[in-house]
Amino acid sequence: MERKNVNRGFKKLRVWQDAIALYALTSKIFSKFPFVLLKVASNSIDAAQSISRNIAEGYCRRGIKEYLNHLNIALGSCGELHSCYESYKEAAQITDEEYESIDELHYKVENELLKLIESLQKKQKEDNWEDSFQEK
């Protein structure tokens, strides 16, 4: 049974869906790290999950300022994750194929996030934001 309401609208966002896929991919790759690197892997997986969590939380706040703030936090998590897998590649802790698969999806999520932020900033500037739960 699908449960939906206005507050779960973030699930329709392609950027949120892709961020979930990015989390699943990074989790799959980094969870294979050896015990000695468990903290490093855990921090990276958390950075990946932070992206979708902040998109959802910002959406649910309903106010455009808070939404943009959470999207910027998600963008910061994108940067953190990017730094993680770049350093893992340099340290030969992930394969070239793993790097490419993460980087391709990460690039997509990051650009979708930038476009969403830009779109919302435009709405904010034009004072064109509806923050009620009333459907039109």
Side-chain angles (χ1 to χ4, degrees), residues 32-102:
K32 295 186 282 184
F33 275 29
F35 180 78
V36 70
L37 295 173
L38 199 55
K39 184 176 180 182
V40 169
S42 178
N43 287 343
S44 303
I45 292 167
D46 188 50
Q49 191 186 40
S50 176
I51 300 166
S52 64
R53 286 192 324 246
N54 277 289
I55 293 168
E57 184 174 352
Y59 182 95
C60 293
R61 295 292 180 117
R62 305 303 297 168
I64 196 163
K65 281 185 175 183
E66 285 186 287
Y67 193 7
L68 283 166
N69 183 52
H70 280 83
L71 292 177
N72 281 305
I73 293 168
L75 193 58
S77 295
C78 271
E80 180 181 3
L81 177 60
H82 184 76
S83 180
C84 290
Y85 69 80
E86 285 289 338
S87 61
Y88 302 158
K89 182 180 184 244
E90 183 68 26
Q93 293 168 324
I94 59 174
T95 67
D96 290 341
E97 294 80 20
E98 290 170 329
Y99 172 87
E100 280 302 319
S101 64
I102 293 172

Side-chain angles (χ1 to χ4, degrees), residues 5-17 20 52-53 55-60 62 67:
N5 62 32
V6 175
N7 207 42
R8 292 186 180 191
F10 63 86
K11 294 170 78 175
K12 296 178 185 175
L13 296 173
R14 184 177 43 224
V15 66
W16 180 83
Q17 295 167 6
I20 292 292
S52 64
R53 286 192 324 246
I55 293 168
E57 184 174 352
Y59 182 95
C60 293
R62 305 303 297 168
Y67 193 7

